[in-house]
């Protein structure tokens, strides 16, 4: 987690289209020189003047929205070689699921409805993968859009740095879990006995979770109030406000929703599931994307939900 955090370009402090607070020169200077005592580097060491000015234009059009969006000169045309691509046999659902969480969900939403927490203010909205026009896209269409992005929008060209196998992993997840509404296993209640081995052996990651060590030995605290904020951001979409399952981002849009929380789940079990996810489902493993403090706080809040105690 970066401290101090980077600026929020949706903040009205940057001005409006009619009266921008920051000028082109302000942005160019910050991009070029960086910000002292922060993680913001001096990009003049890596990119020439022309690229930095192009970035100023991109930021002001798409994010601060203090410059008008230009008219598209023509429809975007993707290379035939990209449009002709088909899904390779080795594409991995699980890897794509985690990459979707890290790279895509903040704009496209955790269930791909285009309602992500960082993309709702964009004036070219992120794609909703349940729309009929998206459901009809071929493998090559998806590959082209991920590789080359969408012109005149905030959708980046992931092909500039993301290896081809990783692009296919993300596409595999989107097509399977969201477009094709698979896997159906996401609608079944998980067993509260954490076995990762199929033979009844208890997973060591679950056994080593200790609230006592977190509080007494490591000197941390647990804040259920903060946990409710984390739950609202990452969980309500699928699990609904009381853990009853079938949240607003699932079955109403044709996406399999999770079952209600099973009875008497322990804090340790929930911490483990939030951290590691559930294989072959849409339940992400949030370890690495949420801090341990966030996960402890959220599990404490989940223990207070009526549906968790009643078993749904």
């Amino acid at each position: 987690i970066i401290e101090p955090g980077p600026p929020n370009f949706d903040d009205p402090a940057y001005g409006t289209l009619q009266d921008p607070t920051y000028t082109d020169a302000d942005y160019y200077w910050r991009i070029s020189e960086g910000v002292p005592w922060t993680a913001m580097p001096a990009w003049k060491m890596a990119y020439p003047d022309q690229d930095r000015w192009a970035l100023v234009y991109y930021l002001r059009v798409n994010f601060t929205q203090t410059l008008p969006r230009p008219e598209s000169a023509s429809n975007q045309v993707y290379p035939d070689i990209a449009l002709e691509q088909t899904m390779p046999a080795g594409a991995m659902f699980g890897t794509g699921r985690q990459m979707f969480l890290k790279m895509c969900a903040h704009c496209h939403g955790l269930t791909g409805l285009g309602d992500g927490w960082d993309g709702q203010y964009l004036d070219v909205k992120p794609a909703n993968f349940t729309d009929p026009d998206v459901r009809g896209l071929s493998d090559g269409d998806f590959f082209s859009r991920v590789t080359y992005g969408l012109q005149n929008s905030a959708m980046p060209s992931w092909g500039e740095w993301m290896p081809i196998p990783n692009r296919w992993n993300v596409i595999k997840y989107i097509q399977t879990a969201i477009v094709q509404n698979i896997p159906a296993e996401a609608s079944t209640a998980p067993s509260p006995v954490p076995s990762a081995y199929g033979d009844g052996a208890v997973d060591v990651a679950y056994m080593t979770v200790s609230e006592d060590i977190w509080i007494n030995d490591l000197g941390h605290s647990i804040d259920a109030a903060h946990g409710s904020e984390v739950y609202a951001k990452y969980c309500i979409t699928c699990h609904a406000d009381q853990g009853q399952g079938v949240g607003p981002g699932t079955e109403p849009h044709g996406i399999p929703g999770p079952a209600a929380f099973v009875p008497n789940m322990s804090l340790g079990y929930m911490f483990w599931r939030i951290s590691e996810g559930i294989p072959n489902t849409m339940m992400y493993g949030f370890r690495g994307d949420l801090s341990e403090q966030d996960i402890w706080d959220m599990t404490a809040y989940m223990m207070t939900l009526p549906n968790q105690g009643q078993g749904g």
Side-chain angles (χ1 to χ4, degrees):
I1 298 177
I2 297 175
E3 291 291 347
N8 174 11
F9 289 136
D10 187 29
D11 191 331
Y14 286 98
T16 65
L17 184 63
Q18 294 73 28
D19 183 24
T21 303
Y22 291 87
T23 67
D24 289 351
D26 292 327
Y27 286 100
Y28 178 78
W29 176 66
R30 280 301 190 197
I31 292 168
S32 300
E33 303 298 332
V35 181
W37 307 110
T38 75
M40 174 65 181
W43 288 111
K44 68 181 181 182
M45 307 301 293
Y47 295 105
D49 288 352
Q50 184 177 358
D51 288 350
R52 281 175 273 147
W53 280 117
L55 180 57
V56 170
Y57 189 39
Y58 174 79
L59 291 174
R60 291 196 59 192
V61 169
N62 285 294
F63 299 132
T64 65
Q65 298 175 20
T66 50
L67 278 179
R69 181 170 299 281
E71 295 290 335
S72 296
S74 61
N75 292 330
Q76 187 162 3
V77 178
Y78 296 110
D80 289 341
I81 192 172
L83 293 169
E84 293 166 0
Q85 297 294 310
T86 57
M87 180 71 66
M92 296 182 289
F93 176 95
T95 302
R97 176 185 63 170
Q98 289 304 124
M99 292 193 67
F100 183 87
L101 172 63
K102 293 177 180 292
M103 310 297 180
C104 312
H106 62 104
C107 284
H108 290 285
L110 289 165
T111 57
L113 301 181
D115 59 352
W117 51 92
D118 286 337
Q120 296 182 27
Y121 74 96
L122 297 174
D123 59 353
V124 176
K125 298 300 182 186
N128 178 346
F129 296 123
T130 68
D131 283 347
D133 59 338
V134 178
R135 290 185 185 275
L137 294 177
S138 68
D139 291 350
D141 290 327
F142 271 104
F143 182 79
S144 299
R145 284 160 172 75
V146 172
T147 299
Y148 297 103
L150 295 176
Q151 66 181 9
N152 205 9
S153 79
M155 173 65 183
S157 302
W158 291 107
E160 293 184 4
W161 68 271
M162 185 185 291
I164 289 177
N166 288 347
R167 282 176 254 164
W168 280 118
N169 291 337
V170 172
I171 295 168
K172 174 73 171 181
Y173 173 76
I174 293 171
Q175 288 186 334
T176 303
I178 302 173
V179 176
Q180 300 175 24
N181 301 336
I182 303 172
E185 294 93 327
S187 293
T188 61
S191 166
V193 179
S195 172
Y197 312 104
D199 57 3
V202 177
D203 191 285
V204 66
Y206 166 71
M207 290 297 293
T208 56
V209 172
S210 171
E211 183 179 4
D212 181 66
I213 291 176
W214 178 255
I215 295 175
N216 296 321
D217 292 2
L218 300 179
H220 297 296
S221 61
I222 297 178
D223 183 357
H226 173 250
S228 69
E229 299 172 1
V230 182
Y231 182 90
K233 184 174 182 178
Y234 295 102
C235 307
I236 283 180
T237 294
C238 294
H239 291 284
D241 60 343
Q242 297 294 304
Q244 65 267 42
V246 190
T250 58
E251 292 192 4
H253 304 278
I255 299 172
F261 293 147
V262 296
N264 303 318
M265 290 190 295
S266 69
L267 187 147
Y269 173 75
M270 288 190 287
F271 185 99
W272 174 68
R273 280 304 194 195
I274 293 168
S275 299
E276 304 299 327
I278 301 176
N280 301 317
T281 73
M282 293 183 72
M283 176 59 196
Y284 301 97
F286 284 93
R287 178 168 53 89
D289 294 281
L290 294 177
S291 67
E292 283 190 88
Q293 185 66 64
D294 287 337
I295 298 176
W296 276 114
D297 292 347
M298 183 160 58
T299 51
Y301 170 72
M302 290 167 64
M303 292 293 290
T304 70
L305 296 179
N307 215 67
Q308 195 278 325
Q310 299 168 5

